[in-house]
Amino acid sequence: MNAKEWLKAAGVRALKTVAQTAIATIGVSALMTEVDWIAVASASILAGILSLLTSIAGLPELEKDDYYD
C-alpha cells in the first residue's frame, strides 16, 4: 500500500462519513423546528476528522490479501 492509495481510500471514507453525519444532523434538526447549519457543519467536519484518524489504524478495503487468501 502506498501513501497515494491510502489518502484516496481514507478521503473517500471521510467524505462518506461527513455526508452521513450531515444528513443525520439535518434530519434531527428539522424535527426540532429549525436546522442549525453551524451545528451541521461542525458535527460533519468533526466526523470527517475522526474518520481520517480511525483510518490510521487500517483500511479494510486496502488489505486485499485478507479477502483473497
Side-chain angles (χ1 to χ4, degrees):
M1 165 176 56
N2 62 38
K4 184 178 178 182
E5 198 176 10
W6 184 89
L7 281 171
K8 181 179 178 183
V12 167
R13 179 177 276 208
L15 283 174
K16 288 179 181 180
T17 301
V18 167
Q20 291 168 346
T21 302
I23 291 167
T25 307
I26 290 168
V28 169
S29 296
L31 290 175
M32 299 167 67
T33 68
E34 189 175 312
V35 176
D36 181 356
W37 292 107
I38 293 173
V40 171
S42 63
S44 299
I45 290 168
L46 178 59
I49 292 168
L50 291 174
S51 175
L52 287 172
L53 292 174
T54 302
S55 294
I56 291 171
L59 292 167
E61 52 269 44
L62 293 181
E63 297 168 6
K64 295 175 183 147
D65 294 337
D66 293 343
Y67 296 106
Y68 298 109
D69 284 344

